[in-house]
Amino acid sequence: MRSAWRRSSSPAWTCSSCGGSRGPAEHAQLRAYVGIYGTVLARGRMCLCGMLASDFETLPAAVQQRVSEFFGRSYVWLEGVIDQGVADGRIPAPVSPRATAEALVAGLERAMLVSRPSHGSERFEAIADALLESMGVNSRG
């Protein structure tokens, strides 16, 4: 993942990779971001940084730094997408773009955890859709 951040100032899930998604670019970017988590879960895996964060205090300092960097970069990218959507009137702004970005990541991490026992993606998809819809983003494009 770290190398992907160095290759581009925007993650690989930016609008240009969203295929034929309709609607505002910010909506497509957010749907694609959520899709990364869904794909990881569908493969029977979890977000590594999310899992490491659960035991953050026990990690070596270098690993703590990398985990913090992952979340920090995710928040910055999401905040930029959300901020642009708010500025263009395509995403409502009930709270700050940063708080919205952090809430989205937290919600996705938790959705992965609570979906595992159901051995399917339906619960995750329902939660992810609710997160997007709560941001004014049509979850199905």
Short mmCIF file of all heavy atoms in Angstrom, two decimals, residues 47-113:
data_model
loop_
_atom_site.label_atom_id
_atom_site.label_comp_id
_atom_site.label_asym_id
_atom_site.label_seq_id
_atom_site.Cartn_x
_atom_site.Cartn_y
_atom_site.Cartn_z
N CYS A 47 -9.06 -5.57 6.90
CA CYS A 47 -8.12 -4.47 6.73
C CYS A 47 -6.98 -4.66 7.74
O CYS A 47 -7.22 -4.66 8.95
CB CYS A 47 -8.82 -3.14 6.95
SG CYS A 47 -7.70 -1.73 7.01
N LEU A 48 -5.77 -4.84 7.25
CA LEU A 48 -4.64 -5.10 8.13
C LEU A 48 -4.42 -3.96 9.12
O LEU A 48 -4.21 -4.19 10.31
CB LEU A 48 -3.37 -5.33 7.31
CG LEU A 48 -2.10 -5.58 8.12
CD1 LEU A 48 -2.24 -6.80 9.01
CD2 LEU A 48 -0.91 -5.73 7.19
N CYS A 49 -4.49 -2.73 8.65
CA CYS A 49 -4.28 -1.61 9.57
C CYS A 49 -5.38 -1.52 10.62
O CYS A 49 -5.12 -1.16 11.77
CB CYS A 49 -4.13 -0.30 8.79
SG CYS A 49 -2.53 -0.19 7.97
N GLY A 50 -6.59 -1.87 10.25
CA GLY A 50 -7.68 -1.90 11.22
C GLY A 50 -7.44 -2.95 12.30
O GLY A 50 -7.67 -2.71 13.49
N MET A 51 -6.95 -4.10 11.87
CA MET A 51 -6.66 -5.16 12.84
C MET A 51 -5.48 -4.76 13.74
O MET A 51 -5.52 -4.98 14.94
CB MET A 51 -6.36 -6.48 12.12
CG MET A 51 -7.53 -7.01 11.30
SD MET A 51 -9.12 -7.09 12.16
CE MET A 51 -8.74 -8.10 13.55
N LEU A 52 -4.45 -4.18 13.13
CA LEU A 52 -3.30 -3.75 13.93
C LEU A 52 -3.69 -2.64 14.91
O LEU A 52 -3.19 -2.58 16.04
CB LEU A 52 -2.17 -3.28 13.02
CG LEU A 52 -1.47 -4.38 12.23
CD1 LEU A 52 -0.50 -3.76 11.22
CD2 LEU A 52 -0.76 -5.36 13.14
N ALA A 53 -4.60 -1.77 14.49
CA ALA A 53 -5.04 -0.67 15.36
C ALA A 53 -5.71 -1.19 16.62
O ALA A 53 -5.66 -0.53 17.67
CB ALA A 53 -5.97 0.27 14.60
N SER A 54 -6.32 -2.38 16.54
CA SER A 54 -7.00 -2.92 17.72
C SER A 54 -6.02 -3.23 18.85
O SER A 54 -6.41 -3.27 20.01
CB SER A 54 -7.80 -4.16 17.35
OG SER A 54 -6.94 -5.24 17.04
N ASP A 55 -4.76 -3.44 18.53
CA ASP A 55 -3.72 -3.69 19.53
C ASP A 55 -2.60 -2.65 19.43
O ASP A 55 -1.43 -2.95 19.66
CB ASP A 55 -3.12 -5.08 19.34
CG ASP A 55 -3.80 -6.13 20.19
OD1 ASP A 55 -4.43 -5.76 21.19
OD2 ASP A 55 -3.70 -7.32 19.84
N PHE A 56 -2.97 -1.44 19.08
CA PHE A 56 -2.00 -0.39 18.77
C PHE A 56 -0.92 -0.23 19.83
O PHE A 56 0.26 -0.10 19.52
CB PHE A 56 -2.74 0.94 18.55
CG PHE A 56 -1.89 2.02 17.99
CD1 PHE A 56 -1.61 2.07 16.63
CD2 PHE A 56 -1.37 3.01 18.80
CE1 PHE A 56 -0.81 3.07 16.09
CE2 PHE A 56 -0.57 4.02 18.28
CZ PHE A 56 -0.30 4.05 16.92
N GLU A 57 -1.31 -0.21 21.11
CA GLU A 57 -0.36 0.05 22.18
C GLU A 57 0.71 -1.03 22.29
O GLU A 57 1.79 -0.79 22.82
CB GLU A 57 -1.08 0.19 23.53
CG GLU A 57 -1.93 1.44 23.64
CD GLU A 57 -3.29 1.30 22.94
OE1 GLU A 57 -3.71 0.16 22.65
OE2 GLU A 57 -3.90 2.33 22.67
N THR A 58 0.44 -2.23 21.81
CA THR A 58 1.41 -3.33 21.91
C THR A 58 2.36 -3.40 20.72
O THR A 58 3.29 -4.20 20.73
CB THR A 58 0.68 -4.68 22.03
OG1 THR A 58 0.00 -4.97 20.81
CG2 THR A 58 -0.31 -4.68 23.20
N LEU A 59 2.12 -2.57 19.71
CA LEU A 59 2.93 -2.63 18.49
C LEU A 59 4.26 -1.89 18.66
O LEU A 59 4.32 -0.90 19.40
CB LEU A 59 2.17 -1.99 17.33
CG LEU A 59 0.83 -2.60 16.95
CD1 LEU A 59 0.14 -1.74 15.89
CD2 LEU A 59 1.02 -4.03 16.46
N PRO A 60 5.29 -2.35 17.94
CA PRO A 60 6.54 -1.58 17.94
C PRO A 60 6.28 -0.18 17.37
O PRO A 60 5.37 0.01 16.54
CB PRO A 60 7.45 -2.38 17.00
CG PRO A 60 6.85 -3.74 16.92
CD PRO A 60 5.37 -3.56 17.15
N ALA A 61 7.09 0.77 17.78
CA ALA A 61 6.91 2.16 17.37
C ALA A 61 6.86 2.32 15.85
O ALA A 61 6.05 3.10 15.33
CB ALA A 61 8.01 3.04 17.97
N ALA A 62 7.70 1.60 15.13
CA ALA A 62 7.73 1.72 13.67
C ALA A 62 6.41 1.26 13.05
O ALA A 62 5.92 1.86 12.08
CB ALA A 62 8.89 0.92 13.09
N VAL A 63 5.82 0.21 13.60
CA VAL A 63 4.54 -0.28 13.08
C VAL A 63 3.42 0.69 13.45
O VAL A 63 2.54 0.98 12.64
CB VAL A 63 4.25 -1.71 13.59
CG1 VAL A 63 2.87 -2.19 13.12
CG2 VAL A 63 5.34 -2.68 13.13
N GLN A 64 3.48 1.22 14.66
CA GLN A 64 2.50 2.23 15.06
C GLN A 64 2.53 3.41 14.10
O GLN A 64 1.48 3.91 13.68
CB GLN A 64 2.78 2.74 16.48
CG GLN A 64 2.45 1.77 17.57
CD GLN A 64 2.75 2.32 18.95
OE1 GLN A 64 3.44 3.33 19.11
NE2 GLN A 64 2.23 1.65 19.96
N GLN A 65 3.72 3.83 13.72
CA GLN A 65 3.85 4.95 12.80
C GLN A 65 3.22 4.63 11.45
O GLN A 65 2.50 5.45 10.88
CB GLN A 65 5.33 5.32 12.61
CG GLN A 65 5.51 6.49 11.67
CD GLN A 65 6.99 6.85 11.48
OE1 GLN A 65 7.85 6.39 12.23
NE2 GLN A 65 7.26 7.66 10.49
N ARG A 66 3.45 3.43 10.94
CA ARG A 66 2.89 3.05 9.63
C ARG A 66 1.36 2.95 9.69
O ARG A 66 0.68 3.37 8.75
CB ARG A 66 3.47 1.71 9.16
CG ARG A 66 4.94 1.73 8.92
CD ARG A 66 5.24 2.50 7.68
NE ARG A 66 6.64 2.31 7.36
CZ ARG A 66 7.35 3.13 6.63
NH1 ARG A 66 6.80 4.19 6.11
NH2 ARG A 66 8.61 2.89 6.40
N VAL A 67 0.85 2.41 10.76
CA VAL A 67 -0.61 2.33 10.91
C VAL A 67 -1.20 3.73 10.96
O VAL A 67 -2.19 4.03 10.28
CB VAL A 67 -0.99 1.50 12.16
CG1 VAL A 67 -2.48 1.62 12.47
CG2 VAL A 67 -0.59 0.04 11.98
N SER A 68 -0.58 4.60 11.73
CA SER A 68 -1.05 5.99 11.83
C SER A 68 -0.98 6.68 10.48
O SER A 68 -1.89 7.44 10.11
CB SER A 68 -0.23 6.76 12.86
OG SER A 68 -0.45 6.25 14.15
N GLU A 69 0.09 6.43 9.72
CA GLU A 69 0.23 7.03 8.40
C GLU A 69 -0.86 6.55 7.45
O GLU A 69 -1.42 7.33 6.69
CB GLU A 69 1.60 6.70 7.80
CG GLU A 69 2.74 7.45 8.43
CD GLU A 69 4.10 6.98 7.94
OE1 GLU A 69 4.18 6.10 7.05
OE2 GLU A 69 5.11 7.50 8.45
N PHE A 70 -1.18 5.26 7.51
CA PHE A 70 -2.24 4.72 6.66
C PHE A 70 -3.56 5.44 6.91
O PHE A 70 -4.21 5.92 5.99
CB PHE A 70 -2.42 3.22 6.88
CG PHE A 70 -3.67 2.68 6.25
CD1 PHE A 70 -3.71 2.41 4.89
CD2 PHE A 70 -4.82 2.48 7.00
CE1 PHE A 70 -4.86 1.92 4.29
CE2 PHE A 70 -5.98 2.00 6.41
CZ PHE A 70 -6.01 1.73 5.05
N PHE A 71 -3.94 5.52 8.18
CA PHE A 71 -5.20 6.18 8.49
C PHE A 71 -5.13 7.67 8.18
O PHE A 71 -6.08 8.24 7.62
CB PHE A 71 -5.60 5.94 9.95
CG PHE A 71 -6.12 4.55 10.18
CD1 PHE A 71 -5.41 3.65 10.94
CD2 PHE A 71 -7.32 4.15 9.62
CE1 PHE A 71 -5.88 2.36 11.14
CE2 PHE A 71 -7.80 2.86 9.81
CZ PHE A 71 -7.08 1.96 10.58
N GLY A 72 -4.03 8.30 8.50
CA GLY A 72 -3.88 9.73 8.21
C GLY A 72 -4.02 10.03 6.73
O GLY A 72 -4.71 10.97 6.34
N ARG A 73 -3.38 9.24 5.89
CA ARG A 73 -3.47 9.46 4.44
C ARG A 73 -4.88 9.17 3.93
O ARG A 73 -5.38 9.88 3.04
CB ARG A 73 -2.46 8.59 3.71
CG ARG A 73 -1.05 9.09 3.91
CD ARG A 73 -0.05 8.21 3.24
NE ARG A 73 1.28 8.79 3.36
CZ ARG A 73 2.39 8.10 3.26
NH1 ARG A 73 2.35 6.82 3.00
NH2 ARG A 73 3.54 8.70 3.39
N SER A 74 -5.51 8.16 4.49
CA SER A 74 -6.89 7.87 4.10
C SER A 74 -7.79 9.05 4.45
O SER A 74 -8.62 9.48 3.64
CB SER A 74 -7.40 6.61 4.80
OG SER A 74 -6.71 5.47 4.33
N TYR A 75 -7.63 9.59 5.66
CA TYR A 75 -8.45 10.72 6.08
C TYR A 75 -8.22 11.94 5.20
O TYR A 75 -9.17 12.61 4.81
CB TYR A 75 -8.17 11.10 7.54
CG TYR A 75 -8.45 10.04 8.57
CD1 TYR A 75 -7.68 9.97 9.72
CD2 TYR A 75 -9.47 9.10 8.40
CE1 TYR A 75 -7.92 9.00 10.69
CE2 TYR A 75 -9.70 8.13 9.36
CZ TYR A 75 -8.93 8.08 10.50
OH TYR A 75 -9.17 7.14 11.45
N VAL A 76 -6.97 12.21 4.89
CA VAL A 76 -6.66 13.38 4.07
C VAL A 76 -7.28 13.23 2.69
O VAL A 76 -7.90 14.18 2.17
CB VAL A 76 -5.12 13.59 3.97
CG1 VAL A 76 -4.77 14.57 2.86
CG2 VAL A 76 -4.58 14.07 5.30
N TRP A 77 -7.16 12.06 2.08
CA TRP A 77 -7.73 11.87 0.74
C TRP A 77 -9.25 11.97 0.78
O TRP A 77 -9.86 12.69 -0.02
CB TRP A 77 -7.31 10.52 0.16
CG TRP A 77 -7.79 10.35 -1.23
CD1 TRP A 77 -7.23 10.87 -2.37
CD2 TRP A 77 -8.97 9.65 -1.65
NE1 TRP A 77 -8.00 10.53 -3.47
CE2 TRP A 77 -9.07 9.78 -3.06
CE3 TRP A 77 -9.95 8.92 -0.98
CZ2 TRP A 77 -10.10 9.21 -3.79
CZ3 TRP A 77 -10.98 8.35 -1.72
CH2 TRP A 77 -11.05 8.50 -3.11
N LEU A 78 -9.86 11.27 1.74
CA LEU A 78 -11.32 11.32 1.86
C LEU A 78 -11.80 12.74 2.15
O LEU A 78 -12.80 13.19 1.59
CB LEU A 78 -11.80 10.37 2.96
CG LEU A 78 -11.79 8.90 2.61
CD1 LEU A 78 -11.95 8.05 3.87
CD2 LEU A 78 -12.87 8.57 1.58
N GLU A 79 -11.10 13.42 3.04
CA GLU A 79 -11.47 14.80 3.38
C GLU A 79 -11.47 15.67 2.12
O GLU A 79 -12.36 16.49 1.92
CB GLU A 79 -10.51 15.35 4.41
CG GLU A 79 -10.84 16.76 4.87
CD GLU A 79 -9.85 17.28 5.90
OE1 GLU A 79 -8.76 16.71 6.07
OE2 GLU A 79 -10.20 18.29 6.54
N GLY A 80 -10.48 15.50 1.27
CA GLY A 80 -10.41 16.27 0.03
C GLY A 80 -11.58 15.99 -0.89
O GLY A 80 -12.17 16.90 -1.47
N VAL A 81 -11.93 14.70 -1.03
CA VAL A 81 -13.07 14.32 -1.87
C VAL A 81 -14.35 14.90 -1.30
O VAL A 81 -15.16 15.50 -2.02
CB VAL A 81 -13.17 12.78 -1.99
CG1 VAL A 81 -14.46 12.37 -2.68
CG2 VAL A 81 -11.95 12.23 -2.74
N ILE A 82 -14.54 14.75 0.00
CA ILE A 82 -15.76 15.25 0.65
C ILE A 82 -15.82 16.77 0.58
O ILE A 82 -16.86 17.35 0.27
CB ILE A 82 -15.83 14.73 2.10
CG1 ILE A 82 -16.00 13.21 2.10
CG2 ILE A 82 -16.96 15.42 2.87
CD1 ILE A 82 -15.71 12.55 3.43
N ASP A 83 -14.69 17.41 0.84
CA ASP A 83 -14.64 18.87 0.80
C ASP A 83 -15.02 19.40 -0.58
O ASP A 83 -15.77 20.37 -0.70
CB ASP A 83 -13.25 19.35 1.20
CG ASP A 83 -13.20 20.84 1.48
OD1 ASP A 83 -14.11 21.35 2.18
OD2 ASP A 83 -12.27 21.50 1.00
N GLN A 84 -14.52 18.74 -1.63
CA GLN A 84 -14.87 19.15 -2.99
C GLN A 84 -16.36 18.96 -3.25
O GLN A 84 -17.02 19.82 -3.83
CB GLN A 84 -14.06 18.36 -4.02
CG GLN A 84 -14.28 18.82 -5.45
CD GLN A 84 -13.85 20.26 -5.66
OE1 GLN A 84 -12.75 20.64 -5.31
NE2 GLN A 84 -14.71 21.07 -6.25
N GLY A 85 -16.90 17.85 -2.79
CA GLY A 85 -18.33 17.61 -2.95
C GLY A 85 -19.18 18.62 -2.21
O GLY A 85 -20.21 19.07 -2.71
N VAL A 86 -18.73 19.01 -1.01
CA VAL A 86 -19.45 20.03 -0.24
C VAL A 86 -19.36 21.37 -0.96
O VAL A 86 -20.38 22.07 -1.13
CB VAL A 86 -18.87 20.12 1.19
CG1 VAL A 86 -19.41 21.35 1.92
CG2 VAL A 86 -19.18 18.85 1.98
N ALA A 87 -18.17 21.73 -1.42
CA ALA A 87 -17.98 23.01 -2.11
C ALA A 87 -18.83 23.11 -3.37
O ALA A 87 -19.34 24.18 -3.70
CB ALA A 87 -16.50 23.20 -2.47
N ASP A 88 -19.01 21.99 -4.05
CA ASP A 88 -19.81 21.97 -5.28
C ASP A 88 -21.29 21.72 -5.02
O ASP A 88 -22.08 21.62 -5.96
CB ASP A 88 -19.27 20.89 -6.23
CG ASP A 88 -17.88 21.22 -6.75
OD1 ASP A 88 -17.47 22.40 -6.66
OD2 ASP A 88 -17.21 20.30 -7.25
N GLY A 89 -21.67 21.57 -3.74
CA GLY A 89 -23.07 21.36 -3.39
C GLY A 89 -23.57 19.95 -3.67
O GLY A 89 -24.77 19.73 -3.73
N ARG A 90 -22.68 19.00 -3.83
CA ARG A 90 -23.08 17.62 -4.14
C ARG A 90 -23.06 16.70 -2.93
O ARG A 90 -23.56 15.58 -2.99
CB ARG A 90 -22.20 17.06 -5.25
CG ARG A 90 -22.40 17.79 -6.57
CD ARG A 90 -21.67 17.11 -7.71
NE ARG A 90 -20.24 17.26 -7.64
CZ ARG A 90 -19.52 18.06 -8.43
NH1 ARG A 90 -20.12 18.78 -9.35
NH2 ARG A 90 -18.22 18.12 -8.31
N ILE A 91 -22.48 17.17 -1.84
CA ILE A 91 -22.47 16.42 -0.59
C ILE A 91 -22.87 17.41 0.51
O ILE A 91 -22.27 18.48 0.63
CB ILE A 91 -21.08 15.82 -0.30
CG1 ILE A 91 -20.72 14.77 -1.37
CG2 ILE A 91 -21.04 15.19 1.09
CD1 ILE A 91 -19.32 14.18 -1.22
N PRO A 92 -23.88 17.07 1.33
CA PRO A 92 -24.28 17.97 2.42
C PRO A 92 -23.17 18.04 3.48
O PRO A 92 -22.35 17.13 3.58
CB PRO A 92 -25.55 17.33 2.97
CG PRO A 92 -25.52 15.92 2.51
CD PRO A 92 -24.69 15.86 1.27
N ALA A 93 -23.17 19.10 4.25
CA ALA A 93 -22.11 19.32 5.24
C ALA A 93 -22.65 19.49 6.65
O ALA A 93 -22.52 20.55 7.24
CB ALA A 93 -21.29 20.54 4.84
N PRO A 94 -23.26 18.43 7.24
CA PRO A 94 -23.75 18.58 8.60
C PRO A 94 -22.62 18.68 9.63
O PRO A 94 -22.78 19.27 10.67
CB PRO A 94 -24.58 17.32 8.83
CG PRO A 94 -24.04 16.32 7.86
CD PRO A 94 -23.54 17.11 6.69
N VAL A 95 -21.46 18.10 9.32
CA VAL A 95 -20.26 18.21 10.15
C VAL A 95 -19.07 18.47 9.22
O VAL A 95 -19.22 18.47 8.01
CB VAL A 95 -20.02 16.94 11.01
CG1 VAL A 95 -21.13 16.74 12.01
CG2 VAL A 95 -19.87 15.71 10.15
N SER A 96 -17.90 18.64 9.78
CA SER A 96 -16.74 18.94 8.96
C SER A 96 -16.38 17.77 8.04
O SER A 96 -16.64 16.61 8.38
CB SER A 96 -15.54 19.27 9.86
OG SER A 96 -15.01 18.08 10.43
N PRO A 97 -15.77 18.06 6.89
CA PRO A 97 -15.32 16.99 6.01
C PRO A 97 -14.36 16.02 6.71
O PRO A 97 -14.40 14.82 6.47
CB PRO A 97 -14.64 17.72 4.85
CG PRO A 97 -15.39 19.02 4.78
CD PRO A 97 -15.64 19.38 6.23
N ARG A 98 -13.51 16.52 7.60
CA ARG A 98 -12.58 15.64 8.32
C ARG A 98 -13.34 14.68 9.21
O ARG A 98 -13.05 13.47 9.23
CB ARG A 98 -11.59 16.49 9.13
CG ARG A 98 -10.60 15.68 9.96
CD ARG A 98 -9.71 14.82 9.06
NE ARG A 98 -8.71 14.11 9.84
CZ ARG A 98 -7.45 14.03 9.51
NH1 ARG A 98 -7.01 14.60 8.41
NH2 ARG A 98 -6.62 13.35 10.25
N ALA A 99 -14.30 15.18 9.97
CA ALA A 99 -15.09 14.32 10.85
C ALA A 99 -15.86 13.29 10.03
O ALA A 99 -15.98 12.12 10.43
CB ALA A 99 -16.04 15.15 11.71
N THR A 100 -16.37 13.70 8.89
CA THR A 100 -17.09 12.78 8.02
C THR A 100 -16.16 11.70 7.49
O THR A 100 -16.52 10.51 7.46
CB THR A 100 -17.75 13.54 6.85
OG1 THR A 100 -18.61 14.55 7.39
CG2 THR A 100 -18.55 12.63 5.95
N ALA A 101 -14.95 12.08 7.10
CA ALA A 101 -13.96 11.11 6.61
C ALA A 101 -13.61 10.10 7.70
O ALA A 101 -13.58 8.89 7.46
CB ALA A 101 -12.70 11.84 6.14
N GLU A 102 -13.37 10.59 8.90
CA GLU A 102 -13.02 9.71 10.01
C GLU A 102 -14.18 8.78 10.36
O GLU A 102 -13.98 7.59 10.64
CB GLU A 102 -12.58 10.52 11.21
CG GLU A 102 -11.25 11.21 10.99
CD GLU A 102 -10.84 12.14 12.12
OE1 GLU A 102 -11.66 12.41 13.03
OE2 GLU A 102 -9.68 12.60 12.08
N ALA A 103 -15.40 9.30 10.32
CA ALA A 103 -16.57 8.48 10.62
C ALA A 103 -16.76 7.40 9.55
O ALA A 103 -17.13 6.26 9.87
CB ALA A 103 -17.82 9.36 10.72
N LEU A 104 -16.51 7.73 8.29
CA LEU A 104 -16.64 6.74 7.22
C LEU A 104 -15.64 5.61 7.42
O LEU A 104 -16.01 4.43 7.36
CB LEU A 104 -16.45 7.39 5.85
CG LEU A 104 -16.52 6.44 4.66
CD1 LEU A 104 -17.88 5.74 4.58
CD2 LEU A 104 -16.22 7.20 3.36
N VAL A 105 -14.39 5.93 7.67
CA VAL A 105 -13.38 4.89 7.88
C VAL A 105 -13.73 4.04 9.11
O VAL A 105 -13.69 2.80 9.06
CB VAL A 105 -11.97 5.50 8.01
CG1 VAL A 105 -10.95 4.44 8.43
CG2 VAL A 105 -11.55 6.13 6.70
N ALA A 106 -14.10 4.69 10.20
CA ALA A 106 -14.47 3.95 11.40
C ALA A 106 -15.67 3.04 11.14
O ALA A 106 -15.68 1.88 11.57
CB ALA A 106 -14.79 4.93 12.54
N GLY A 107 -16.65 3.54 10.42
CA GLY A 107 -17.82 2.73 10.11
C GLY A 107 -17.48 1.54 9.23
O GLY A 107 -17.99 0.44 9.44
N LEU A 108 -16.61 1.73 8.26
CA LEU A 108 -16.22 0.62 7.39
C LEU A 108 -15.41 -0.43 8.14
O LEU A 108 -15.62 -1.63 7.94
CB LEU A 108 -15.42 1.15 6.19
CG LEU A 108 -16.23 1.99 5.20
CD1 LEU A 108 -15.29 2.65 4.19
CD2 LEU A 108 -17.29 1.15 4.51
N GLU A 109 -14.51 0.03 8.99
CA GLU A 109 -13.72 -0.92 9.79
C GLU A 109 -14.64 -1.76 10.68
O GLU A 109 -14.52 -2.98 10.76
CB GLU A 109 -12.68 -0.18 10.63
CG GLU A 109 -11.58 0.49 9.83
CD GLU A 109 -10.56 -0.47 9.23
OE1 GLU A 109 -10.57 -1.68 9.56
OE2 GLU A 109 -9.74 0.00 8.43
N ARG A 110 -15.57 -1.09 11.33
CA ARG A 110 -16.52 -1.80 12.20
C ARG A 110 -17.44 -2.71 11.39
O ARG A 110 -17.76 -3.82 11.82
CB ARG A 110 -17.34 -0.81 13.02
CG ARG A 110 -16.53 -0.15 14.11
CD ARG A 110 -17.42 0.73 14.99
NE ARG A 110 -16.59 1.75 15.59
CZ ARG A 110 -16.72 3.04 15.38
NH1 ARG A 110 -17.66 3.51 14.60
NH2 ARG A 110 -15.92 3.90 15.97
N ALA A 111 -17.86 -2.24 10.23
CA ALA A 111 -18.74 -3.06 9.38
C ALA A 111 -18.05 -4.36 8.99
O ALA A 111 -18.68 -5.42 8.93
CB ALA A 111 -19.16 -2.27 8.14
N MET A 112 -16.76 -4.28 8.71
CA MET A 112 -16.01 -5.51 8.39
C MET A 112 -16.04 -6.47 9.57
O MET A 112 -16.28 -7.67 9.39
CB MET A 112 -14.56 -5.18 8.02
CG MET A 112 -14.42 -4.45 6.70
SD MET A 112 -12.69 -4.15 6.29
CE MET A 112 -12.30 -5.68 5.43
N LEU A 113 -15.81 -5.96 10.76
CA LEU A 113 -15.77 -6.81 11.95
C LEU A 113 -17.11 -7.49 12.21
O LEU A 113 -17.17 -8.70 12.43
CB LEU A 113 -15.36 -6.00 13.18
CG LEU A 113 -13.90 -5.62 13.27
CD1 LEU A 113 -13.68 -4.63 14.41
CD2 LEU A 113 -13.04 -6.85 13.46
#
